[in-house]
Amino acid sequence: MSYFFIGITILFAATLIFYIVFFSLVYYWHDKKTTFVVVPLLYTFEFFLTGFLVFSIVLILLEHLPKIINTFS
């Protein structure tokens, strides 16, 4: 198995967990004021998006690192 396959699997699992928590919080607080939900979820989404982008960049670099090293040597 390649780094890319393992990384994508972990990324999909993390995405699934994130959205399960996201929708469960929205369902729990659907009768509350939106200010209690919106601010924490926006920070959570920002953290998840940053982690997603960093993880994707690391995965792409790990997948293509041998080709890059062979090109420069």
Coordinates of all heavy atoms in Angstrom, one line a residue:
M1 N 0.8 -1.2 0.0 CA 0.0 0.0 0.0 C 0.9 1.2 0.0 O 1.9 1.3 0.7 CB -0.9 0.0 1.2 CG -2.0 -1.1 1.2 SD -3.4 -0.7 2.1 CE -2.9 -1.0 3.8
S2 N 0.4 2.2 -0.7 CA 1.2 3.4 -0.8 C 0.8 4.4 0.2 O -0.2 4.3 0.9 CB 1.0 4.1 -2.2 OG -0.3 4.5 -2.3
Y3 N 1.7 5.4 0.4 CA 1.4 6.5 1.4 C 0.1 7.2 1.0 O -0.6 7.6 1.9 CB 2.6 7.5 1.4 CG 3.8 7.0 2.0 CD1 5.0 6.9 1.2 CD2 3.9 6.6 3.3 CE1 6.2 6.5 1.8 CE2 5.1 6.2 3.9 CZ 6.2 6.1 3.1 OH 7.4 5.6 3.6
F4 N -0.1 7.4 -0.3 CA -1.2 8.1 -0.8 C -2.5 7.4 -0.4 O -3.5 8.0 0.1 CB -1.1 8.3 -2.3 CG -2.1 9.3 -2.8 CD1 -1.9 10.7 -2.5 CD2 -3.2 8.9 -3.6 CE1 -2.8 11.6 -3.0 CE2 -4.0 9.9 -4.1 CZ -3.8 11.2 -3.8
F5 N -2.6 6.1 -0.6 CA -3.8 5.3 -0.2 C -4.1 5.4 1.3 O -5.2 5.6 1.7 CB -3.7 3.9 -0.7 CG -4.9 3.0 -0.3 CD1 -6.0 3.2 -1.0 CD2 -4.8 2.1 0.7 CE1 -7.1 2.4 -0.7 CE2 -5.9 1.3 1.0 CZ -7.1 1.5 0.3
I6 N -3.0 5.2 2.1 CA -3.2 5.2 3.5 C -3.6 6.6 4.0 O -4.5 6.8 4.8 CB -1.9 4.8 4.2 CG1 -1.6 3.3 3.9 CG2 -2.0 5.0 5.7 CD1 -0.2 2.8 4.3
G7 N -3.0 7.6 3.4 CA -3.3 9.0 3.8 C -4.7 9.4 3.4 O -5.5 10.0 4.2
I8 N -5.2 9.0 2.2 CA -6.5 9.3 1.8 C -7.5 8.6 2.7 O -8.6 9.1 3.0 CB -6.7 8.9 0.3 CG1 -6.0 9.9 -0.6 CG2 -8.2 8.9 -0.1 CD1 -6.5 11.3 -0.6
T9 N -7.2 7.3 3.1 CA -8.1 6.6 4.0 C -8.2 7.3 5.3 O -9.4 7.5 5.9 CB -7.6 5.2 4.2 OG1 -7.4 4.6 2.9 CG2 -8.6 4.4 5.0
I10 N -7.1 7.8 5.9 CA -7.1 8.5 7.1 C -7.9 9.8 7.0 O -8.7 10.2 7.9 CB -5.7 8.7 7.7 CG1 -5.1 7.4 8.1 CG2 -5.7 9.7 8.8 CD1 -3.6 7.5 8.4
L11 N -7.7 10.5 5.8 CA -8.4 11.8 5.6 C -9.9 11.6 5.5 O -10.6 12.4 6.0 CB -7.8 12.4 4.3 CG -8.0 13.8 4.1 CD1 -7.5 14.6 5.2 CD2 -7.3 14.2 2.8
F12 N -10.3 10.5 4.8 CA -11.8 10.3 4.7 C -12.3 9.9 6.1 O -13.5 10.4 6.4 CB -12.1 9.2 3.7 CG -12.0 9.6 2.3 CD1 -11.5 8.8 1.3 CD2 -12.4 10.9 1.9 CE1 -11.5 9.2 0.0 CE2 -12.4 11.3 0.6 CZ -11.9 10.4 -0.4
A13 N -11.6 9.2 6.9 CA -12.1 8.8 8.2 C -12.2 10.1 9.1 O -13.2 10.3 9.8 CB -11.2 7.8 8.9
A14 N -11.2 11.0 9.0 CA -11.2 12.2 9.8 C -12.4 13.1 9.3 O -13.0 13.7 10.1 CB -9.9 12.9 9.7
T15 N -12.6 13.1 8.0 CA -13.7 13.9 7.5 C -15.1 13.4 8.0 O -15.9 14.2 8.3 CB -13.7 13.9 5.9 OG1 -12.4 14.4 5.5 CG2 -14.7 14.8 5.4
L16 N -15.2 12.1 8.0 CA -16.4 11.5 8.4 C -16.7 11.8 9.9 O -17.8 12.2 10.3 CB -16.4 10.0 8.2 CG -17.6 9.2 8.5 CD1 -18.8 9.6 7.6 CD2 -17.3 7.7 8.4
I17 N -15.7 11.6 10.7 CA -15.8 11.9 12.1 C -16.1 13.4 12.3 O -17.0 13.8 13.2 CB -14.5 11.6 12.9 CG1 -14.3 10.1 12.9 CG2 -14.5 12.1 14.3 CD1 -13.0 9.6 13.4
F18 N -15.5 14.3 11.6 CA -15.8 15.7 11.7 C -17.2 16.0 11.4 O -17.9 16.8 12.1 CB -14.9 16.5 10.8 CG -15.2 18.0 10.7 CD1 -14.8 18.8 11.7 CD2 -15.9 18.5 9.7 CE1 -15.1 20.2 11.7 CE2 -16.2 19.8 9.6 CZ -15.8 20.7 10.6
Y19 N -17.7 15.5 10.3 CA -19.1 15.8 9.9 C -20.1 15.1 10.8 O -21.2 15.7 11.0 CB -19.4 15.5 8.5 CG -18.8 16.6 7.6 CD1 -17.8 16.4 6.7 CD2 -19.4 17.9 7.6 CE1 -17.3 17.4 5.9 CE2 -18.9 18.9 6.8 CZ -17.8 18.6 6.0 OH -17.3 19.6 5.2
I20 N -19.8 14.0 11.4 CA -20.7 13.4 12.4 C -20.8 14.3 13.6 O -21.9 14.5 14.1 CB -20.2 12.0 12.7 CG1 -20.5 11.0 11.6 CG2 -20.9 11.5 14.0 CD1 -19.8 9.6 11.8
V21 N -19.7 14.8 14.1 CA -19.7 15.7 15.2 C -20.4 17.0 14.9 O -21.2 17.5 15.7 CB -18.3 15.9 15.8 CG1 -18.3 17.0 16.8 CG2 -17.7 14.6 16.3
F22 N -20.1 17.5 13.7 CA -20.7 18.8 13.3 C -22.3 18.7 13.2 O -23.0 19.5 13.8 CB -20.2 19.1 11.9 CG -20.8 20.4 11.3 CD1 -20.3 21.6 11.7 CD2 -21.8 20.3 10.3 CE1 -20.9 22.8 11.1 CE2 -22.3 21.4 9.8 CZ -21.9 22.7 10.2
F23 N -22.8 17.6 12.6 CA -24.2 17.5 12.5 C -24.9 17.1 13.8 O -26.0 17.5 14.0 CB -24.6 16.5 11.4 CG -24.4 17.1 10.0 CD1 -23.5 16.5 9.1 CD2 -25.0 18.3 9.6 CE1 -23.3 17.0 7.8 CE2 -24.9 18.8 8.3 CZ -24.0 18.2 7.4
S24 N -24.2 16.4 14.6 CA -24.8 16.1 15.9 C -24.9 17.4 16.8 O -25.8 17.6 17.5 CB -24.0 15.0 16.6 OG -22.7 15.4 16.9
L25 N -23.9 18.2 16.7 CA -24.0 19.5 17.4 C -25.0 20.4 16.9 O -25.8 21.0 17.7 CB -22.6 20.2 17.4 CG -21.5 19.7 18.2 CD1 -20.2 20.4 17.9 CD2 -21.8 19.8 19.7
V26 N -25.2 20.5 15.6 CA -26.2 21.3 15.0 C -27.6 20.7 15.4 O -28.5 21.5 15.7 CB -26.1 21.3 13.5 CG1 -27.3 21.9 12.8 CG2 -24.9 22.1 13.1
Y27 N -27.8 19.4 15.4 CA -29.1 18.8 15.8 C -29.3 19.1 17.3 O -30.5 19.4 17.6 CB -29.1 17.3 15.5 CG -30.4 16.7 15.9 CD1 -31.5 16.9 15.2 CD2 -30.4 15.9 17.1 CE1 -32.7 16.3 15.5 CE2 -31.6 15.3 17.5 CZ -32.8 15.5 16.7 OH -33.9 15.0 17.1
Y28 N -28.3 19.0 18.1 CA -28.5 19.2 19.5 C -28.9 20.7 19.8 O -29.8 20.9 20.7 CB -27.2 18.9 20.3 CG -27.3 19.1 21.8 CD1 -28.1 18.3 22.6 CD2 -26.6 20.2 22.3 CE1 -28.1 18.5 23.9 CE2 -26.7 20.4 23.7 CZ -27.4 19.6 24.5 OH -27.5 19.8 25.8
W29 N -28.3 21.6 19.1 CA -28.6 23.0 19.4 C -29.5 23.6 18.4 O -29.5 24.9 18.2 CB -27.3 23.8 19.4 CG -26.5 23.6 20.6 CD1 -26.9 23.8 21.9 CD2 -25.1 23.4 20.7 NE1 -25.9 23.6 22.8 CE2 -24.8 23.3 22.1 CE3 -24.1 23.1 19.8 CZ2 -23.5 23.1 22.6 CZ3 -22.8 22.9 20.3 CH2 -22.5 22.9 21.6
H30 N -30.4 22.9 17.7 CA -31.3 23.5 16.7 C -32.3 24.4 17.4 O -32.9 25.2 16.7 CB -31.9 22.5 15.8 CG -32.9 21.6 16.4 ND1 -32.6 20.5 17.2 CD2 -34.3 21.7 16.4 CE1 -33.7 20.0 17.6 NE2 -34.8 20.6 17.1
D31 N -32.6 24.2 18.7 CA -33.6 25.0 19.4 C -32.9 26.2 20.1 O -33.6 27.1 20.6 CB -34.4 24.2 20.4 CG -35.4 23.3 19.7 OD1 -35.8 23.6 18.5 OD2 -35.7 22.2 20.3
K32 N -31.6 26.2 20.2 CA -30.9 27.2 20.9 C -30.6 28.4 20.0 O -30.9 28.4 18.8 CB -29.6 26.7 21.5 CG -29.7 25.5 22.3 CD -30.2 25.7 23.6 CE -30.2 24.4 24.4 NZ -30.9 24.5 25.7
K33 N -30.1 29.5 20.6 CA -29.7 30.6 19.8 C -28.5 30.2 18.9 O -27.7 29.4 19.3 CB -29.3 31.8 20.6 CG -30.4 32.5 21.4 CD -29.9 33.7 22.2 CE -31.0 34.4 22.9 NZ -30.5 35.5 23.6
T34 N -28.4 30.8 17.7 CA -27.4 30.4 16.8 C -26.0 30.8 17.2 O -25.0 30.3 16.7 CB -27.7 30.9 15.4 OG1 -27.8 32.3 15.4 CG2 -28.9 30.3 14.8
T35 N -25.9 31.8 18.1 CA -24.6 32.3 18.5 C -23.8 31.3 19.3 O -22.6 31.3 19.3 CB -24.7 33.6 19.3 OG1 -25.6 33.3 20.4 CG2 -25.3 34.7 18.5
F36 N -24.6 30.4 20.0 CA -23.9 29.3 20.7 C -23.3 28.3 19.8 O -22.4 27.6 20.2 CB -24.9 28.6 21.7 CG -25.4 29.5 22.8 CD1 -26.7 29.7 23.0 CD2 -24.5 30.2 23.6 CE1 -27.2 30.5 24.0 CE2 -24.9 31.0 24.6 CZ -26.3 31.2 24.8
V37 N -23.8 28.2 18.6 CA -23.3 27.1 17.7 C -22.3 27.7 16.7 O -21.3 27.0 16.4 CB -24.5 26.5 17.0 CG1 -24.1 25.5 15.9 CG2 -25.4 25.8 17.9
V38 N -22.6 28.8 16.1 CA -21.9 29.3 15.0 C -20.4 29.6 15.3 O -19.5 29.1 14.5 CB -22.6 30.5 14.4 CG1 -21.7 31.2 13.3 CG2 -23.9 30.2 13.8
V39 N -20.1 30.2 16.3 CA -18.8 30.6 16.6 C -17.9 29.4 16.9 O -16.8 29.3 16.3 CB -18.7 31.6 17.8 CG1 -17.3 31.9 18.2 CG2 -19.4 32.9 17.4
P40 N -18.2 28.5 17.8 CA -17.3 27.3 17.9 C -17.2 26.5 16.7 O -16.1 25.9 16.4 CB -18.0 26.5 19.1 CG -18.9 27.4 19.8 CD -19.3 28.4 18.7
L41 N -18.3 26.3 15.9 CA -18.2 25.5 14.7 C -17.4 26.2 13.6 O -16.7 25.5 12.9 CB -19.6 25.2 14.2 CG -20.4 24.2 15.0 CD1 -21.8 24.0 14.4 CD2 -19.7 22.9 15.2
L42 N -17.4 27.5 13.6 CA -16.5 28.2 12.6 C -15.1 27.9 12.9 O -14.2 27.7 12.0 CB -16.8 29.6 12.5 CG -18.1 30.0 11.8 CD1 -18.4 31.5 11.9 CD2 -18.1 29.6 10.4
Y43 N -14.7 28.0 14.2 CA -13.3 27.8 14.6 C -13.0 26.3 14.4 O -11.8 26.0 13.9 CB -13.1 28.1 16.1 CG -13.0 29.6 16.3 CD1 -13.9 30.3 17.1 CD2 -12.0 30.4 15.7 CE1 -13.8 31.6 17.3 CE2 -11.9 31.7 15.9 CZ -12.8 32.4 16.7 OH -12.8 33.7 16.9
T44 N -13.9 25.4 14.6 CA -13.6 24.0 14.4 C -13.4 23.7 12.9 O -12.5 23.0 12.5 CB -14.8 23.1 14.9 OG1 -15.0 23.4 16.2 CG2 -14.5 21.7 14.7
F45 N -14.3 24.4 12.1 CA -14.1 24.2 10.6 C -12.8 24.7 10.1 O -12.2 24.2 9.2 CB -15.3 24.8 9.9 CG -15.2 24.6 8.4 CD1 -15.5 23.3 7.9 CD2 -14.9 25.6 7.5 CE1 -15.4 23.1 6.5 CE2 -14.9 25.4 6.2 CZ -15.1 24.1 5.7
E46 N -12.4 25.9 10.6 CA -11.1 26.5 10.2 C -10.0 25.6 10.6 O -9.0 25.4 9.8 CB -11.0 27.9 10.9 CG -9.7 28.6 10.5 CD -9.5 29.9 11.3 OE1 -10.5 30.3 12.0 OE2 -8.5 30.5 11.2
F47 N -10.0 25.0 11.8 CA -9.0 24.1 12.2 C -8.9 22.8 11.3 O -7.9 22.4 10.9 CB -9.2 23.7 13.7 CG -8.2 22.7 14.2 CD1 -6.9 23.0 14.5 CD2 -8.6 21.3 14.3 CE1 -6.1 22.1 15.0 CE2 -7.8 20.4 14.8 CZ -6.5 20.7 15.1
F48 N -10.1 22.3 11.0 CA -10.2 21.1 10.2 C -9.7 21.5 8.8 O -9.0 20.6 8.2 CB -11.6 20.6 10.1 CG -11.8 19.4 9.2 CD1 -11.3 18.2 9.7 CD2 -12.3 19.5 8.0 CE1 -11.4 17.1 8.9 CE2 -12.4 18.4 7.2 CZ -12.0 17.2 7.6
L49 N -10.1 22.6 8.2 CA -9.6 23.0 6.9 C -8.1 23.1 6.8 O -7.5 22.7 5.9 CB -10.3 24.3 6.5 CG -10.0 24.7 5.0 CD1 -10.6 23.7 4.1 CD2 -10.7 26.1 4.8
T50 N -7.5 23.7 7.9 CA -6.1 23.9 7.9 C -5.4 22.5 8.0 O -4.4 22.2 7.3 CB -5.7 24.7 9.1 OG1 -6.3 26.0 9.1 CG2 -4.2 25.0 9.2
G51 N -5.9 21.7 8.9 CA -5.3 20.3 9.0 C -5.5 19.5 7.7 O -4.6 18.8 7.3
F52 N -6.6 19.7 7.0 CA -6.9 19.0 5.7 C -5.9 19.4 4.7 O -5.3 18.6 4.0 CB -8.3 19.3 5.3 CG -8.7 18.7 3.9 CD1 -9.1 17.3 3.9 CD2 -8.6 19.4 2.8 CE1 -9.4 16.8 2.7 CE2 -8.9 18.8 1.6 CZ -9.3 17.5 1.6
L53 N -5.6 20.7 4.6 CA -4.7 21.2 3.6 C -3.3 20.8 3.9 O -2.5 20.4 3.0 CB -4.8 22.8 3.5 CG -6.1 23.3 2.9 CD1 -6.2 24.8 2.9 CD2 -6.3 22.8 1.5
V54 N -2.8 20.9 5.1 CA -1.5 20.5 5.5 C -1.3 19.0 5.3 O -0.3 18.6 4.7 CB -1.2 20.9 7.0 CG1 0.0 20.2 7.5 CG2 -1.1 22.4 7.1
F55 N -2.3 18.2 5.7 CA -2.2 16.8 5.5 C -2.1 16.4 4.0 O -1.4 15.5 3.6 CB -3.4 16.1 6.1 CG -3.3 14.6 6.3 CD1 -2.4 14.1 7.2 CD2 -4.0 13.8 5.5 CE1 -2.3 12.7 7.4 CE2 -3.9 12.4 5.7 CZ -3.0 11.9 6.6
S56 N -2.9 17.1 3.2 CA -2.9 16.9 1.7 C -1.5 17.2 1.1 O -1.0 16.5 0.3 CB -4.0 17.7 1.0 OG -5.2 17.3 1.5
I57 N -1.0 18.3 1.5 CA 0.4 18.7 1.0 C 1.4 17.7 1.4 O 2.3 17.3 0.6 CB 0.7 20.2 1.5 CG1 -0.2 21.2 0.8 CG2 2.2 20.5 1.2 CD1 -0.1 22.6 1.3
V58 N 1.4 17.3 2.7 CA 2.4 16.3 3.1 C 2.2 15.0 2.3 O 3.2 14.3 2.0 CB 2.2 16.1 4.6 CG1 3.0 14.8 5.1 CG2 2.7 17.3 5.4
L59 N 1.0 14.6 2.1 CA 0.7 13.3 1.3 C 1.3 13.5 -0.1 O 1.9 12.5 -0.6 CB -0.8 13.1 1.3 CG -1.4 12.2 2.3 CD1 -2.9 12.1 2.1 CD2 -0.7 10.9 2.3
I60 N 1.0 14.6 -0.7 CA 1.5 14.7 -2.1 C 3.0 14.7 -2.1 O 3.6 14.1 -3.0 CB 0.9 16.0 -2.7 CG1 -0.6 15.9 -2.9 CG2 1.6 16.4 -4.0 CD1 -1.3 17.1 -3.3
L61 N 3.7 15.4 -1.2 CA 5.1 15.4 -1.1 C 5.7 14.0 -0.8 O 6.7 13.6 -1.4 CB 5.6 16.4 0.0 CG 5.5 17.8 -0.4 CD1 5.9 18.7 0.8 CD2 6.4 18.1 -1.6
L62 N 5.1 13.3 0.1 CA 5.5 11.9 0.3 C 5.4 11.0 -0.9 O 6.2 10.1 -1.1 CB 4.8 11.3 1.5 CG 5.2 11.7 2.9 CD1 4.3 11.1 4.0 CD2 6.7 11.3 3.1
E63 N 4.3 11.2 -1.6 CA 4.0 10.4 -2.8 C 5.1 10.6 -3.9 O 5.5 9.7 -4.6 CB 2.6 10.6 -3.3 CG 2.2 9.7 -4.4 CD 2.1 8.3 -4.1 OE1 1.8 7.9 -2.9 OE2 2.3 7.4 -5.0
H64 N 5.4 11.9 -4.1 CA 6.3 12.3 -5.2 C 7.7 12.6 -4.8 O 8.5 12.9 -5.6 CB 5.7 13.5 -5.9 CG 4.4 13.2 -6.5 ND1 4.2 12.3 -7.6 CD2 3.1 13.6 -6.2 CE1 2.9 12.3 -7.9 NE2 2.2 13.0 -7.1
L65 N 8.1 12.4 -3.5 CA 9.4 12.6 -3.0 C 10.5 11.8 -3.7 O 11.5 12.4 -4.1 CB 9.5 12.5 -1.5 CG 10.8 13.0 -0.8 CD1 10.9 14.5 -1.1 CD2 10.7 12.7 0.6
P66 N 10.3 10.5 -4.0 CA 11.3 9.8 -4.7 C 11.6 10.3 -6.1 O 12.7 10.3 -6.6 CB 10.8 8.3 -4.7 CG 9.8 8.2 -3.6 CD 9.3 9.6 -3.5
K67 N 10.6 10.7 -6.8 CA 10.7 11.3 -8.1 C 11.5 12.6 -8.1 O 12.3 12.9 -9.0 CB 9.4 11.4 -8.8 CG 8.6 10.2 -9.1 CD 7.2 10.4 -9.6 CE 6.5 9.1 -9.7 NZ 5.1 9.3 -10.0
I68 N 11.2 13.4 -7.1 CA 11.9 14.7 -6.9 C 13.3 14.5 -6.6 O 14.2 15.2 -7.2 CB 11.2 15.5 -5.8 CG1 9.8 15.9 -6.3 CG2 12.0 16.8 -5.5 CD1 8.9 16.5 -5.2
I69 N 13.6 13.5 -5.7 CA 15.0 13.3 -5.4 C 15.8 12.7 -6.6 O 16.9 13.1 -6.8 CB 15.1 12.3 -4.2 CG1 14.6 13.0 -2.9 CG2 16.5 11.7 -4.0 CD1 14.5 12.1 -1.7
N70 N 15.2 11.8 -7.4 CA 15.8 11.3 -8.6 C 16.1 12.4 -9.6 O 17.0 12.3 -10.4 CB 15.0 10.2 -9.2 CG 15.1 8.9 -8.3 OD1 16.1 8.7 -7.6 ND2 14.1 8.0 -8.5
T71 N 15.2 13.4 -9.7 CA 15.3 14.4 -10.6 C 16.6 15.3 -10.3 O 17.3 15.7 -11.2 CB 14.1 15.3 -10.6 OG1 13.0 14.5 -11.0 CG2 14.2 16.4 -11.7
F72 N 16.8 15.6 -9.0 CA 17.9 16.4 -8.6 C 19.2 15.7 -8.5 O 20.2 16.3 -8.4 CB 17.6 17.2 -7.3 CG 16.5 18.2 -7.5 CD1 15.3 18.2 -6.8 CD2 16.7 19.3 -8.4 CE1 14.3 19.1 -7.0 CE2 15.8 20.3 -8.5 CZ 14.6 20.2 -7.9
S73 N 19.2 14.4 -8.4 CA 20.5 13.7 -8.3 C 20.9 13.0 -9.6 O 20.5 13.2 -10.6 CB 20.4 12.6 -7.2 OG 19.3 11.8 -7.4

